Amino acid sequence: MFKKIAVLNGDGIGPEVTRQSVKVLKAIAEQFDHEFIFTEALIGADAIDKTGSPLPSETIDICLDSDAILFGAIGHPKYDNDPSAKVRPEQGLLGLRKALQLYANIRPVTTYPTLHFLSPLKTKNIEDVDFVIFRELTGGIYFGKKELSEDGQSASDDCSYTKEEIERVSHLAFKAAQQRKKKLTLVDKANVLETSRLWRKVVQEIAPQYADVTVDYLFVDNAAMQIILNPKQFDVVLTENMFGDIISDEASVISGSLGLLPSASVGNRTALFEPIHGSYPQAAGKDIANPVGSILSAAMLLDHIGLPEEAALVRNAVTWTIENRFVTKDIDPINFYFTSTVGELVIDYINKNFFERVNNENIELRKSTII
Ligand code: IPM
Ligand code: MN
């Protein structure tokens, strides 16, 4: 198979985690005789520094001309602490989502038995948790009209949704539920917000087309509590843009580290794959960030381009590293492996080198320890 993949490294730890995914995809291409061509493009603070724009038009062109996009992370502290900044790195990602009409962001939440101890939640509550968040990604308050009064004394952000915007992501969520445990939970705030009432109405209208899927509804405040109290109840969670942003970070607590979770953003054009974590500037350039969220995003990319066997091999390789505690500092602050080493170990597994290497001093040598 021949595929063109756009690589948008972005900011902070973006480049170093994405580098591991590119290495992994190259190893997959070699093993399975595919040809993947990678083209890098600028986005975020990095793009502002180099071109003045967080989303140069060349980046959009490269993405549109590719079969899939691998995205790193976005954001830089120099903009976070400057509310008056006119140009912000995040505009790059938001602009790209809009330009490519990436209306559905799919965020699976799974757990690894060996990592239960990392979660502040009780093991019995998080064992076998397996749900997926479908977050609407190109509408709502993120993209509504924004205003700051001339005297700087008041500001507003509009939240609006059309029926069509709700329908298209809802259909994807229902279809996913049919392939899973056949339960869909709509998270909204229909007791207060008009947009949420429209979401409920549209989902109720669509539901009969998916008669095998059980639908329930939760207000977002209650959902935020349920995700912590009893996350096993969820299968597919469908929600609007901002609620999805918030509950997906919250849900990462179940897995134990924000660094583990991947996501796929899909629409009518090229799909984009990115870890859910941010740019983690404190760790940038230190080779300590967790590449697993990015590598599992690459696995979602492989599924998306029709390579499920290859995707499964990447997931198995990641699970193998985690089970053998070849993990980064966020997971084991004492005996940890570097970002690049975890990437290499995933590739060893893909190349089946691990049989020779697993008990080998080689691995031990690459372990770092603060003791
Ligand atoms: C995410 C991020 C982005 C968002 C930021 C970087 C704009 O938090 O992908 O979840 O809010 O959507
Ligand atoms: Mn977020």
Side-chain angles (χ1 to χ4, degrees):
M1 185 182 271
F2 172 77
K3 291 286 174 199
K4 290 195 268 187
I5 300 173
V7 179
L8 275 52
N9 290 312
D11 306 323
I13 58 168
E16 54 208 278
V17 295
T18 310
R19 200 171 303 129
Q20 309 317 312
S21 295
V22 170
K23 283 190 331 202
V24 166
L25 289 172
K26 284 184 176 160
I28 287 288
E30 187 133 317
Q31 275 288 320
F32 291 83
D33 223 3
H34 301 306
E35 193 182 347
F36 297 153
I37 302 283
F38 299 91
T39 310
E40 290 194 6
L42 296 173
I43 196 161
D46 179 39
I48 300 175
D49 291 346
K50 292 177 180 147
T51 72
S53 160
L55 182 62
S57 60
E58 196 196 356
T59 297
I60 301 180
D61 294 342
I62 290 172
C63 290
L64 287 172
D65 186 46
S66 301
D67 297 296
I69 305 158
L70 200 54
F71 182 90
I74 211 154
H76 193 284
K78 73 179 173 205
Y79 299 95
D80 294 346
N81 301 325
D82 176 12
S84 64
K86 288 267 174 301
V87 184
R88 315 186 69 82
E90 289 78 6
Q91 290 162 346
L93 181 57
L94 298 176
L96 190 64
R97 288 172 180 170
K98 201 67 176 178
L100 300 179
Q101 276 299 299
L102 299 169
Y103 59 81
N105 183 223
I106 304 163
R107 299 187 161 184
V109 180
T110 40
T111 62
Y112 299 89
T114 44
L115 300 187
H116 286 338
F117 77 96
L118 275 178
S119 175
L121 306 176
K122 289 200 176 71
T123 296
K124 71 172 173 43
N125 291 338
I126 58 175
E127 268 165 350
D128 302 323
V129 165
D130 176 14
F131 64 91
V132 54
I133 299 171
F134 275 70
R135 165 187 176 195
E136 200 290 326
L137 203 60
T138 49
I141 197 166
Y142 269 61
F143 291 95
K145 192 160 126 215
K146 301 183 187 315
E147 271 178 331
L148 176 65
S149 67
E150 239 159 67
D151 62 4
Q153 297 298 302
S154 67
S156 64
D157 296 276
D158 279 356
C159 180
S160 72
Y161 267 108
T162 65
K163 193 172 171 198
E164 198 204 329
E165 285 174 322
I166 301 169
E167 276 169 351
R168 55 188 186 178
V169 63
S170 300
H171 281 295
L172 289 185
F174 271 107
K175 286 189 184 120
Q178 284 185 317
Q179 304 302 315
R180 296 175 46 96
K181 291 175 272 173
K182 300 188 177 18
K183 183 177 170 191
L184 181 142
T185 304
L186 175 67
V187 170
D188 64 23
K189 188 73 185 172
N191 50 346
V192 177
L193 302 177
E194 206 55 56
T195 41
S196 286
R197 287 191 274 273
L198 185 62
W199 270 84
R200 258 191 210 210
K201 185 164 168 277
V202 171
V203 167
Q204 280 165 359
E205 275 169 19
I206 290 176
Q209 296 173 39
Y210 304 91
D212 51 338
V213 177
T214 309
V215 184
D216 69 356
Y217 304 89
L218 279 184
F219 295 141
V220 63
D221 46 352
N222 187 15
M225 185 174 72
Q226 296 295 330
I227 283 174
I228 298 299
L229 281 182
N230 178 19
K232 274 184 232 183
Q233 69 184 288
F234 297 113
D235 179 22
V236 172
V237 174
L238 168 64
T239 191
E240 63 96 64
N241 202 345
M242 172 104 116
F243 296 159
D245 180 45
I246 298 168
I247 64 169
S248 56
D249 267 33
E250 186 195 11
S252 74
V253 171
I254 298 166
S255 301
S257 172
L258 194 57
L260 293 166
L261 297 189
S263 85
S265 301
V266 305
N268 302 326
R269 296 164 165 195
T270 321
L272 180 148
F273 301 84
E274 59 167 317
I276 81 158
H277 61 68
S279 58
Y280 191 13
Q282 307 88 318
K286 295 189 180 152
D287 204 22
I288 55 170
N290 195 337
V292 164
S294 178
I295 295 172
L296 291 177
S297 301
M300 292 181 89
L301 182 157
L302 290 167
D303 265 331
H304 184 83
I305 60 175
L307 300 174
E309 194 190 331
E310 289 81 342
L313 179 56
V314 173
R315 288 195 185 96
N316 290 344
V318 167
T319 304
W320 172 79
T321 60
I322 290 174
E323 280 170 358
N324 287 285
R325 285 189 81 90
F326 304 142
V327 293
T328 42
K329 210 174 171 182
D330 51 318
I331 292 188
D332 189 340
I334 311 256
N335 293 301
F336 61 90
Y337 291 80
F338 289 112
T339 311
S340 52
T341 312
V342 172
E344 284 160 22
L345 289 164
V346 167
I347 292 164
D348 283 350
Y349 185 97
I350 290 168
N351 294 338
K352 306 194 170 52
N353 284 340
F354 63 98
F355 294 115
E356 296 109 66
R357 297 180 93 152
V358 69
N359 290 321
N360 189 309
E361 280 179 355
N362 237 335
I363 288 178
E364 281 300 309
L365 276 177
R366 290 187 293 175
K367 185 194 283 182
S368 303
T369 177
I370 60 162
I371 288 182

